[in-house]
Amino acid sequence: MSQLTPFHIAFPVDDLEAARRFYGEVLGCPEGRSSERWIDFDLYGHQIVAHRVDASERAPKPGGDNPVDGHDVPVPHFGVVLPPAEWKALAERVKAAGVAFVIEPYTRFEGQTGEQSTMFFLDPAGNALEFKSFADMGQLFAA
C-alpha cells in the first residue's frame, strides 16, 4: 500500500460553536484556520471544514439509509479508519460525552477476512460519521 495523502471534505453545519465543541473537544480534532463562516479541523491528519449554512440556504439532505448487517447505515457519511487502540479510545470518548450512536460500536466479520470494528454517530448538525478499525489493515480492501 502506498503512503496515503490527506483528504479534504467540506460539510454544512448550522452552529459553528457546536461544531467547534464536538469536533474539537469530543473528537479531539485540532483547530486550524477559521472565519465567521467556517472552521478547519485536523481529523487524524485529514482536513475537514465545517461551513456554517443557514437553514434557509440548506438544501434537503440527500441520501437515506442502506441496510448492512441488520443495521440502517446512514448515507452519506464520512470518517477515518483508525488503529484498534485509537478506535477504542475514540469510542469511549464519544460514549463519555453522551453522544448517541446511530450504530453502537461492534465488530463485523469476526475471525474472517476483513474483520473490522465500526461505529456510527451524528454531529450536532446531523452529519453522519463512521469510524472503523481493521484487525489487519492489509485487509482494508480485501474481497
Side-chain angles (χ1 to χ4, degrees), residues 22 94-95 97-105 120-123 129:
F22 180 80
V94 169
K95 283 180 192 177
V99 174
F101 287 96
V102 174
I103 299 175
E104 293 276 339
F120 287 82
F121 49 87
L122 305 178
D123 76 3
L129 292 97

Side-chain angles (χ1 to χ4, degrees), residues 10-19 35-41 49-58 125 127:
F11 54 94
V13 300
D14 50 10
D15 183 336
L16 284 178
E17 287 309 310
S35 79
E36 295 176 359
R37 301 281 306 182
W38 53 266
I39 305 170
D40 280 350
F41 293 101
V49 186
H51 284 267
R52 185 176 55 123
V53 177
D54 297 327
S56 62
E57 301 169 331
R58 212 167 171 176
N127 296 299

Side-chain angles (χ1 to χ4, degrees), residues 102-124:
V102 174
I103 299 175
E104 293 276 339
Y106 80 105
T107 301
R108 304 177 64 205
F109 312 122
E110 199 160 353
Q112 302 173 44
T113 300
E115 179 178 328
Q116 60 190 268
S117 296
T118 186
M119 62 181 146
F120 287 82
F121 49 87
L122 305 178
D123 76 3

Side-chain angles (χ1 to χ4, degrees), residues 5-142:
T5 56
F7 72 82
H8 164 84
I9 187 170
F11 54 94
V13 300
D14 50 10
D15 183 336
L16 284 178
E17 287 309 310
R20 180 172 273 126
R21 283 188 304 277
F22 180 80
Y23 287 95
E25 296 172 19
V26 176
L27 298 187
C29 299
E31 188 174 322
R33 294 176 301 276
S34 65
S35 79
E36 295 176 359
R37 301 281 306 182
W38 53 266
I39 305 170
D40 280 350
F41 293 101
D42 175 348
L43 178 68
Y44 297 95
H46 303 284
Q47 183 191 44
I48 64 171
V49 186
H51 284 267
R52 185 176 55 123
V53 177
D54 297 327
S56 62
E57 301 169 331
R58 212 167 171 176
K61 287 191 178 186
D65 296 325
N66 189 24
V68 177
D69 292 347
H71 299 281
D72 291 328
V73 171
V75 178
H77 63 263
F78 69 92
V80 177
V81 179
L82 299 171
E86 287 185 56
W87 183 88
K88 288 176 186 173
L90 178 61
E92 291 305 317
R93 226 172 33 251
V94 169
K95 283 180 192 177
V99 174
F101 287 96
V102 174
I103 299 175
E104 293 276 339
Y106 80 105
T107 301
R108 304 177 64 205
F109 312 122
E110 199 160 353
Q112 302 173 44
T113 300
E115 179 178 328
Q116 60 190 268
S117 296
T118 186
M119 62 181 146
F120 287 82
F121 49 87
L122 305 178
D123 76 3
N127 296 299
L129 292 97
E130 176 186 22
F131 288 86
K132 289 183 170 188
S133 179
F134 280 76
D136 176 356
M137 279 296 288
Q139 294 182 359
L140 181 64
F141 297 106

